[in-house]
Protein backbone atom coordinates (compact mmCIF):
# COMPACT_ATOMS: atom_id res chain seq x y z
CA UNK A 1 0.00 0.00 0.00
CA UNK A 2 1.33 3.48 -0.85
CA UNK A 3 2.72 5.62 2.00
CA UNK A 4 0.25 8.50 1.66
CA UNK A 5 -2.74 6.14 1.92
CA UNK A 6 -1.30 4.41 5.00
CA UNK A 7 -0.73 7.80 6.62
CA UNK A 8 -4.29 8.93 5.91
CA UNK A 9 -5.76 5.73 7.37
CA UNK A 10 -3.56 6.01 10.46
CA UNK A 11 -4.58 9.63 10.97
CA UNK A 12 -8.27 8.70 10.82
CA UNK A 13 -7.68 5.87 13.30
CA UNK A 14 -5.68 8.15 15.60
CA UNK A 15 -8.52 10.72 15.62
CA UNK A 16 -11.14 8.06 16.47
CA UNK A 17 -11.01 4.26 16.34
CA UNK A 18 -14.71 3.92 15.51
CA UNK A 19 -16.54 4.27 12.17
CA UNK A 20 -13.23 4.47 10.36
CA UNK A 21 -14.48 2.79 7.16
CA UNK A 22 -17.34 5.31 6.80
CA UNK A 23 -15.04 8.30 7.36
CA UNK A 24 -12.41 6.92 5.00
CA UNK A 25 -15.07 6.33 2.29
CA UNK A 26 -16.32 9.91 2.73
CA UNK A 27 -12.89 11.44 2.61
CA UNK A 28 -11.65 9.50 -0.43
CA UNK A 29 -15.02 9.40 -2.27
CA UNK A 30 -15.03 5.61 -2.53
CA UNK A 31 -17.58 2.98 -1.51
CA UNK A 32 -17.76 1.58 2.01
CA UNK A 33 -16.61 -1.78 0.61
CA UNK A 34 -13.51 -0.25 -0.99
CA UNK A 35 -12.68 1.57 2.25
CA UNK A 36 -13.08 -1.66 4.23
CA UNK A 37 -10.71 -3.42 1.85
CA UNK A 38 -8.08 -0.69 2.40
CA UNK A 39 -8.45 -1.09 6.15
CA UNK A 40 -7.99 -4.84 5.84
CA UNK A 41 -4.84 -4.25 3.80
CA UNK A 42 -3.49 -1.77 6.39
CA UNK A 43 -4.14 -4.35 9.08
CA UNK A 44 -2.35 -6.94 6.99
CA UNK A 45 0.66 -4.62 6.81
CA UNK A 46 0.61 -4.42 10.59
CA UNK A 47 0.17 -0.62 10.98
CA UNK A 48 -3.28 -0.85 12.57
CA UNK A 49 -5.01 -3.43 14.72
CA UNK A 50 -8.72 -4.08 15.20
CA UNK A 51 -11.09 -5.36 17.83
CA UNK A 52 -14.68 -6.53 17.34
CA UNK A 53 -16.46 -7.12 14.04
CA UNK A 54 -18.97 -5.56 11.65
CA UNK A 55 -20.20 -2.08 12.50
CA UNK A 56 -18.83 -2.33 16.04
CA UNK A 57 -15.22 -2.78 14.90
CA UNK A 58 -12.66 -0.53 16.60
CA UNK A 59 -9.26 0.21 15.13
CA UNK A 60 -6.11 1.33 16.90
CA UNK A 61 -2.61 2.23 15.77
CA UNK A 62 -0.41 -0.82 16.13
CA UNK A 63 2.77 -0.53 18.17
CA UNK A 64 5.59 -1.18 15.71
CA UNK A 65 8.43 -1.09 18.22
CA UNK A 66 8.78 -0.57 21.94
CA UNK A 67 11.37 -0.78 24.68
CA UNK A 68 11.34 -0.13 28.39
CA UNK A 69 13.62 -0.68 31.33
CA UNK A 70 13.91 0.25 34.99
CA UNK A 71 17.42 1.40 35.93
CA UNK A 72 19.15 2.05 39.23
CA UNK A 73 19.74 5.79 39.26
CA UNK A 74 23.15 5.78 40.96
CA UNK A 75 25.90 5.78 38.40
CA UNK A 76 23.51 5.70 35.43
CA UNK A 77 24.82 7.30 32.20
CA UNK A 78 22.26 8.74 29.82
CA UNK A 79 24.34 7.92 26.74
CA UNK A 80 24.40 4.24 27.65
CA UNK A 81 20.61 4.16 28.04
CA UNK A 82 20.34 5.87 24.67
CA UNK A 83 22.68 3.41 22.99
CA UNK A 84 21.28 0.21 24.47
CA UNK A 85 17.55 0.95 24.80
CA UNK A 86 16.48 3.78 22.50
CA UNK A 87 18.75 3.95 19.44
CA UNK A 88 18.17 0.34 18.27
CA UNK A 89 14.40 0.83 17.93
CA UNK A 90 14.69 4.20 16.18
CA UNK A 91 17.10 3.13 13.45
CA UNK A 92 14.54 3.55 10.63
CA UNK A 93 13.66 7.15 11.49
CA UNK A 94 15.07 10.07 9.49
CA UNK A 95 18.30 11.62 10.87
CA UNK A 96 16.67 14.86 12.04
CA UNK A 97 14.00 12.99 14.04
CA UNK A 98 16.52 10.61 15.57
CA UNK A 99 18.71 13.59 16.45
CA UNK A 100 15.85 15.23 18.34
CA UNK A 101 15.09 12.01 20.20
CA UNK A 102 18.71 11.60 21.19
CA UNK A 103 18.82 15.14 22.53
CA UNK A 104 15.52 15.01 24.43
CA UNK A 105 15.83 11.48 25.87
CA UNK A 106 19.39 11.99 27.12
CA UNK A 107 18.50 15.40 28.63
CA UNK A 108 15.49 13.96 30.48
CA UNK A 109 17.41 10.90 31.70
CA UNK A 110 20.24 13.16 32.86
CA UNK A 111 17.70 15.24 34.79
CA UNK A 112 16.35 12.18 36.58
CA UNK A 113 19.91 11.06 37.39
CA UNK A 114 21.23 14.44 38.54
CA UNK A 115 18.21 16.13 40.12
CA UNK A 116 15.61 13.61 41.32
CA UNK A 117 17.33 11.72 44.13
CA UNK A 118 15.12 8.75 43.17
CA UNK A 119 16.25 5.15 43.72
CA UNK A 120 15.22 4.11 40.21
CA UNK A 121 14.58 5.65 36.82
CA UNK A 122 12.14 4.17 34.29
CA UNK A 123 12.78 4.80 30.60
CA UNK A 124 10.37 3.71 27.86
CA UNK A 125 9.74 4.40 24.20
CA UNK A 126 7.15 3.21 21.74
CA UNK A 127 6.58 3.79 18.07
CA UNK A 128 3.60 3.47 15.73
CA UNK A 129 3.27 4.31 12.03
CA UNK A 130 2.68 8.02 12.77
CA UNK A 131 4.69 9.01 15.81
CA UNK A 132 7.03 7.91 18.56
CA UNK A 133 6.61 8.54 22.27
CA UNK A 134 9.25 8.69 24.98
CA UNK A 135 8.80 8.45 28.76
CA UNK A 136 11.22 9.12 31.58
CA UNK A 137 9.94 8.73 35.13
CA UNK A 138 11.44 8.77 38.60
CA UNK A 139 10.06 8.49 42.11
CA UNK A 140 12.14 11.32 43.54
CA UNK A 141 11.42 14.68 45.10
CA UNK A 142 9.35 15.99 42.20
CA UNK A 143 10.48 18.75 39.87
CA UNK A 144 8.03 21.48 40.86
CA UNK A 145 8.57 20.92 44.60
CA UNK A 146 12.32 20.99 44.08
CA UNK A 147 12.16 24.32 42.22
CA UNK A 148 9.69 25.77 44.74
CA UNK A 149 12.08 24.94 47.60
CA UNK A 150 15.16 26.23 45.80
CA UNK A 151 13.56 29.58 44.97
CA UNK A 152 11.51 29.74 48.16
CA UNK A 153 8.39 30.23 46.03
CA UNK A 154 5.05 30.86 47.68
CA UNK A 155 3.21 28.71 45.17
CA UNK A 156 4.38 25.55 43.34
CA UNK A 157 2.75 26.87 40.18
CA UNK A 158 5.40 29.59 39.95
CA UNK A 159 7.94 26.83 39.25
CA UNK A 160 6.30 26.32 35.84
CA UNK A 161 6.74 30.00 34.98
CA UNK A 162 10.46 29.71 35.80
CA UNK A 163 10.83 26.57 33.64
CA UNK A 164 9.02 28.26 30.75
CA UNK A 165 11.43 31.24 30.85
CA UNK A 166 14.45 28.96 30.39
CA UNK A 167 17.96 29.16 31.91
CA UNK A 168 16.59 27.97 35.22
CA UNK A 169 18.73 25.54 37.19
CA UNK A 170 19.00 24.60 40.86
CA UNK A 171 22.61 23.48 40.25
CA UNK A 172 24.44 26.29 38.41
CA UNK A 173 27.87 24.75 39.06
CA UNK A 174 27.08 21.71 36.91
CA UNK A 175 24.11 22.79 34.79
CA UNK A 176 22.86 25.67 32.64
CA UNK A 177 19.08 25.22 32.74
CA UNK A 178 18.56 24.51 29.05
CA UNK A 179 17.45 20.87 29.02
CA UNK A 180 13.70 21.27 29.44
CA UNK A 181 13.45 24.56 27.56
CA UNK A 182 14.89 23.19 24.31
CA UNK A 183 13.69 19.58 24.56
CA UNK A 184 10.09 20.72 25.06
CA UNK A 185 10.26 22.93 21.96
CA UNK A 186 11.68 20.15 19.78
CA UNK A 187 8.68 17.91 20.48
CA UNK A 188 5.12 18.00 19.08
CA UNK A 189 3.87 17.32 22.61
CA UNK A 190 5.81 17.56 25.83
CA UNK A 191 4.38 17.09 29.32
CA UNK A 192 5.89 16.98 32.79
CA UNK A 193 3.66 15.66 35.56
CA UNK A 194 4.55 15.97 39.21
CA UNK A 195 2.26 16.23 42.19
CA UNK A 196 -1.00 17.74 40.99
CA UNK A 197 0.61 19.90 38.31
CA UNK A 198 1.25 19.43 34.60
CA UNK A 199 3.59 21.49 32.46
CA UNK A 200 2.45 21.14 28.88
CA UNK A 201 4.01 22.28 25.62
CA UNK A 202 2.44 21.64 22.22
CA UNK A 203 4.08 22.39 18.91
CA UNK A 204 4.74 26.06 18.39
CA UNK A 205 2.14 27.13 20.96
CA UNK A 206 2.71 28.65 24.39
CA UNK A 207 3.30 26.58 27.53
CA UNK A 208 0.37 25.58 29.68
CA UNK A 209 -0.11 24.82 33.33
CA UNK A 210 -2.76 22.27 34.13
CA UNK A 211 -3.96 21.08 37.49
CA UNK A 212 -5.25 17.59 38.10
CA UNK A 213 -6.85 15.73 40.92
CA UNK A 214 -4.49 12.78 41.03
CA UNK A 215 -1.08 13.03 42.63
CA UNK A 216 1.97 11.94 40.63
CA UNK A 217 4.86 10.76 42.78
CA UNK A 218 8.24 11.97 41.59
CA UNK A 219 8.50 13.34 38.05
CA UNK A 220 7.06 11.90 34.82
CA UNK A 221 8.04 13.29 31.44
CA UNK A 222 6.11 12.24 28.29
CA UNK A 223 7.14 13.32 24.82
CA UNK A 224 5.75 12.74 21.36
CA UNK A 225 7.10 13.51 17.89
CA UNK A 226 5.85 12.67 14.40
CA UNK A 227 8.10 10.14 12.66
CA UNK A 228 8.15 12.34 9.54
CA UNK A 229 8.69 15.64 11.37
CA UNK A 230 10.85 18.08 9.40
CA UNK A 231 12.01 19.93 12.52
CA UNK A 232 15.70 19.82 13.40
CA UNK A 233 17.39 20.31 16.78
CA UNK A 234 19.56 23.01 15.26
CA UNK A 235 16.64 25.08 14.03
CA UNK A 236 15.13 25.04 17.55
CA UNK A 237 18.43 26.23 19.08
CA UNK A 238 18.75 28.91 16.41
CA UNK A 239 15.30 30.29 17.18
CA UNK A 240 16.51 31.40 20.61
CA UNK A 241 19.94 32.64 19.62
CA UNK A 242 20.80 36.06 18.21
CA UNK A 243 21.68 36.16 14.51
CA UNK A 244 25.35 35.17 13.95
CA UNK A 245 25.63 33.91 17.53
CA UNK A 246 25.18 30.49 19.05
CA UNK A 247 24.28 31.36 22.62
CA UNK A 248 20.83 31.13 24.20
CA UNK A 249 19.98 34.85 24.26
CA UNK A 250 16.27 35.10 23.47
CA UNK A 251 13.23 33.70 25.19
CA UNK A 252 9.46 33.81 24.88
CA UNK A 253 7.55 33.98 28.14
CA UNK A 254 3.88 32.96 28.32
CA UNK A 255 2.60 35.79 30.53
CA UNK A 256 -0.53 33.82 31.42
CA UNK A 257 1.62 31.55 33.61
CA UNK A 258 2.11 34.51 35.97
CA UNK A 259 -1.66 34.84 36.31
CA UNK A 260 -3.21 32.25 38.58
CA UNK A 261 -6.80 31.04 38.39
CA UNK A 262 -9.27 33.89 38.91
CA UNK A 263 -6.56 36.53 39.19
CA UNK A 264 -5.84 39.59 37.08
CA UNK A 265 -2.32 40.89 36.53
CA UNK A 266 -2.47 44.15 38.44
CA UNK A 267 0.27 44.32 41.06
CA UNK A 268 3.93 45.22 41.14
CA UNK A 269 4.73 41.95 42.91
CA UNK A 270 3.16 39.91 40.08
CA UNK A 271 5.28 41.99 37.66
CA UNK A 272 8.44 41.27 39.66
CA UNK A 273 7.72 37.53 39.52
CA UNK A 274 7.29 37.79 35.78
CA UNK A 275 10.54 39.71 35.21
CA UNK A 276 12.66 37.62 37.60
CA UNK A 277 15.82 36.46 35.75
CA UNK A 278 14.96 38.43 32.57
CA UNK A 279 18.43 39.96 32.89
CA UNK A 280 19.90 36.62 31.76
CA UNK A 281 18.49 37.30 28.28
CA UNK A 282 19.13 39.96 25.68
CA UNK A 283 15.67 39.71 24.20
CA UNK A 284 12.39 38.67 25.82
CA UNK A 285 9.13 38.24 23.93
CA UNK A 286 6.15 38.56 26.28
CA UNK A 287 3.38 36.38 24.89
CA UNK A 288 0.06 37.73 26.18
CA UNK A 289 -2.15 35.01 24.68
CA UNK A 290 -4.82 33.99 27.19
CA UNK A 291 -4.52 37.32 29.04
CA UNK A 292 -7.26 39.91 28.41
CA UNK A 293 -6.04 42.90 30.35
CA UNK A 294 -3.33 44.10 32.70
CA UNK A 295 -3.43 46.76 35.41
CA UNK A 296 -1.52 50.04 35.46
CA UNK A 297 0.87 49.15 38.33
CA UNK A 298 1.74 45.79 36.71
CA UNK A 299 2.38 47.40 33.32
CA UNK A 300 4.37 50.26 34.87
CA UNK A 301 6.61 47.86 36.80
CA UNK A 302 7.39 45.72 33.71
CA UNK A 303 7.52 48.24 30.88
CA UNK A 304 8.87 51.35 32.64
CA UNK A 305 10.54 50.53 36.00
CA UNK A 306 12.15 47.21 34.99
CA UNK A 307 12.91 48.41 31.46
CA UNK A 308 14.61 51.60 32.74
CA UNK A 309 16.69 49.55 35.17
CA UNK A 310 17.68 47.19 32.31
CA UNK A 311 17.91 49.35 29.20
CA UNK A 312 19.89 46.69 27.28
CA UNK A 313 17.11 44.09 27.38
CA UNK A 314 14.74 44.24 24.45
CA UNK A 315 11.20 43.44 25.64
CA UNK A 316 8.58 42.85 22.97
CA UNK A 317 4.90 42.18 23.65
CA UNK A 318 3.15 39.71 21.34
CA UNK A 319 -0.50 38.62 21.03
CA UNK A 320 -1.48 41.63 23.14
CA UNK A 321 -5.14 42.72 23.14
CA UNK A 322 -5.99 46.34 22.31
CA UNK A 323 -6.49 47.03 26.03
CA UNK A 324 -3.06 45.61 26.91
CA UNK A 325 -1.30 47.49 24.10
CA UNK A 326 -2.96 50.74 25.22
CA UNK A 327 -1.85 50.17 28.82
CA UNK A 328 1.75 49.48 27.75
CA UNK A 329 1.80 52.67 25.64
CA UNK A 330 0.40 54.67 28.54
CA UNK A 331 3.14 53.65 31.00
CA UNK A 332 5.90 54.04 28.39
CA UNK A 333 4.83 57.60 27.57
CA UNK A 334 3.66 59.09 30.85
CA UNK A 335 2.34 62.61 30.35
N1 LIG B 1 13.52 14.61 37.39
C1 LIG B 1 13.65 15.72 38.13
N2 LIG B 1 13.46 15.70 39.47
C2 LIG B 1 13.60 16.81 40.22
N3 LIG B 1 13.95 18.02 39.72
C3 LIG B 1 14.17 18.10 38.40
C4 LIG B 1 14.04 16.97 37.53
N4 LIG B 1 14.29 17.39 36.27
C5 LIG B 1 14.59 18.69 36.34
N5 LIG B 1 14.52 19.15 37.61
C6 LIG B 1 14.70 20.53 38.08
O1 LIG B 1 14.43 21.40 36.99
C7 LIG B 1 15.56 22.22 36.72
C8 LIG B 1 15.62 22.53 35.24
O2 LIG B 1 15.92 21.35 34.48
P1 LIG B 1 16.65 21.54 33.06
O3 LIG B 1 16.92 20.22 32.48
O4 LIG B 1 15.87 22.50 32.24
O5 LIG B 1 18.01 22.28 33.46
P2 LIG B 1 19.28 21.67 34.23
O6 LIG B 1 19.23 20.20 34.25
O7 LIG B 1 19.41 22.37 35.53
O8 LIG B 1 20.45 22.17 33.27
P3 LIG B 1 20.89 21.46 31.88
O9 LIG B 1 19.73 20.63 31.42
O10 LIG B 1 21.18 22.61 30.95
O11 LIG B 1 22.08 20.64 32.20
C9 LIG B 1 16.75 21.48 37.30
O12 LIG B 1 17.81 22.35 37.65
C10 LIG B 1 16.13 20.81 38.54
O13 LIG B 1 16.04 21.71 39.61
MG1 LIG C 1 18.81 19.14 32.53
Amino acid sequence: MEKAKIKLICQLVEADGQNVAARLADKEHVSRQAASAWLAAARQEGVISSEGTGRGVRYALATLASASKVYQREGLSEDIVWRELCAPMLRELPDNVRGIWQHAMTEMINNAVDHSGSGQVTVAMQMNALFTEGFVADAGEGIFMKIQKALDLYDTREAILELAKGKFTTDPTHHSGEGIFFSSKMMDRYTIRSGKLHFDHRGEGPDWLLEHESDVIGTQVSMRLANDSTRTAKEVFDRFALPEEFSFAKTTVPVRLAQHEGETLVSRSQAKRLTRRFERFQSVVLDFSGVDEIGQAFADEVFRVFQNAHPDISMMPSNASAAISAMIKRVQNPT
Side-chain angles (χ1 to χ4, degrees):
M1 197 182 255
E2 59 203 92
K3 268 198 168 149
K5 202 183 272 174
I6 289 183
K7 186 170 175 183
L8 170 70
I9 290 172
C10 289
Q11 282 168 337
L12 289 173
V13 168
E14 155 74 356
D16 181 1
Q18 281 173 311
N19 301 314
V20 183
R23 280 181 290 130
L24 180 57
D26 261 6
K27 185 138 188 148
E28 293 296 278
H29 309 291
V30 296
S31 70
R32 251 318 259 281
Q33 285 71 19
S36 295
W38 289 355
L39 288 174
R43 218 184 49 179
Q44 201 72 45
E45 291 205 20
V47 293
I48 58 171
S49 60
S50 69
E51 229 176 51
T53 49
R55 283 186 180 260
V57 63
R58 259 193 98 86
Y59 292 93
L61 292 178
T63 300
L64 301 179
S66 67
S68 81
K69 193 164 168 180
V70 180
Y71 293 91
Q72 294 304 317
R73 183 186 61 84
E74 270 279 353
L76 184 62
S77 304
E78 60 273 10
D79 57 325
I80 291 179
V81 179
W82 170 258
R83 231 174 288 145
E84 74 160 37
L85 191 81
C86 312
M89 67 166 273
L90 304 180
R91 238 174 302 196
E92 310 277 296
L93 293 178
D95 287 351
N96 63 310
V97 174
R98 234 183 21 246
I100 288 177
W101 275 120
Q102 179 173 4
H103 180 87
M105 289 303 287
T106 55
E107 288 288 338
M108 295 307 109
I109 296 164
N110 175 265
N111 277 357
V113 172
D114 282 4
H115 305 302
S116 76
S118 174
Q120 298 179 321
V121 180
T122 304
V123 182
M125 294 198 81
Q126 65 181 46
M127 185 199 288
N128 60 40
L130 291 181
F131 55 82
T132 300
E133 292 172 294
F135 305 95
V136 178
D138 63 66
E141 172 173 12
I143 181 169
F144 306 134
M145 281 298 289
K146 182 165 184 132
I147 295 174
Q148 181 181 12
K149 257 197 218 156
L151 287 180
D152 196 17
L153 302 175
Y154 174 72
D155 192 310
T156 326
R157 292 175 295 183
E158 288 172 35
I160 294 187
L161 173 61
E162 292 310 310
L163 279 178
K165 287 176 192 170
K167 292 197 191 186
F168 175 77
T169 181
T170 50
D171 184 7
T173 316
H174 305 104
H175 291 274
S176 55
E178 305 192 1
I180 292 170
F181 185 89
F182 287 108
S183 299
S184 62
K185 288 167 175 67
M186 289 175 194
M187 291 289 151
D188 294 334
R189 291 189 192 173
Y190 177 97
T191 307
I192 303 179
R193 295 185 182 83
S194 183
K196 286 185 171 29
L197 292 183
H198 284 196
F199 168 89
D200 219 44
H201 185 89
R202 292 206 175 198
E204 309 281 299
D207 300 302
W208 291 90
L209 179 167
L210 303 166
E211 286 178 81
H212 282 253
E213 282 301 304
S214 58
D215 248 319
V216 169
I217 310 239
T219 304
Q220 296 177 359
V221 181
S222 322
M223 304 181 277
R224 167 172 158 169
L225 181 65
N227 295 334
D228 63 355
S229 173
T230 54
R231 203 174 297 137
T232 65
K234 181 178 182 305
E235 116 200 354
V236 176
F237 287 123
D238 287 350
R239 236 170 53 218
F240 299 94
L242 294 175
E244 312 296 321
E245 284 185 39
F246 301 105
S247 70
F248 181 16
K250 298 198 273 191
T251 191
T252 298
V253 179
V255 179
R256 56 173 294 287
L257 290 179
Q259 174 184 293
H260 297 168
E261 202 65 27
E263 280 183 11
T264 315
L265 294 170
V266 291
S267 69
R268 289 193 190 272
S269 37
Q270 287 169 319
K272 285 176 189 157
R273 278 204 290 273
L274 180 71
T275 55
R276 177 169 47 209
R277 298 189 307 107
F278 274 16
E279 64 281 358
R280 309 259 170 107
F281 299 93
Q282 292 176 50
S283 158
V284 178
V285 173
L286 292 152
D287 183 350
F288 281 93
S289 43
V291 180
D292 299 329
E293 51 177 353
I294 53 175
Q296 193 273 337
F298 176 88
D300 188 62
E301 187 67 37
V302 176
F303 291 99
R304 194 182 60 84
V305 178
F306 181 85
Q307 181 72 85
N308 286 346
H310 303 88
D312 295 340
I313 306 177
S314 135
M315 291 201 294
M316 294 267 289
S318 84
N319 299 314
S321 67
I324 291 172
S325 300
M327 186 59 88
I328 294 171
K329 272 219 185 78
R330 202 178 119 191
V331 301
Q332 284 174 333
N333 307 297
T335 47

